């Protein structure tokens, strides 16, 4: 992607919202300008085992996924 296109994309982004588990580990990130949420699945040691990109977000207010 050309630099000007990246700058334009960044200019339209709003704040990214992050969700954490009880141990402070990242569980999800939501990008409201692009209606995209990235959800991470962790094993018991805290290692990321899965990353799912959900592009069907229609609610601009994030609701944390249930563990």
């Amino acid at each position: 992607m050309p630099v000007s296109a990246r700058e334009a994309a960044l200019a339209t982004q709003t704040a990214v919202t992050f969700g954490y588990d009880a141990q402070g580990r990242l569980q999800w990130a939501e990008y409201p300008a692009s209606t995209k949420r990235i959800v991470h699945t962790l094993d018991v040691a805290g290692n990321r085992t899965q990353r799912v990109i959900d592009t069907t977000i229609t609610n601009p207010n994030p609701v944390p996924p249930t563990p």
Side-chain angles (χ1 to χ4, degrees):
M1 177 183 293
V3 172
S4 60
R6 279 185 277 163
E7 289 173 351
L10 289 173
T12 61
Q13 288 289 323
T14 58
V16 177
T17 305
F18 298 98
Y20 299 89
D21 66 8
Q23 288 77 36
R25 300 175 297 203
L26 179 66
Q27 287 211 309
W28 55 271
E30 186 165 286
Y31 300 81
S34 64
T35 63
K36 176 171 51 174
R37 179 183 289 154
I38 300 173
V39 179
H40 301 275
T41 303
L42 308 174
D43 64 14
V44 293
N47 300 308
R48 186 172 63 193
T49 59
Q50 185 177 20
R51 177 178 160 191
V52 176
I53 300 174
D54 182 358
T55 58
T56 61
I57 304 301
T58 57
N59 180 2
N61 299 314
V63 176
T66 55

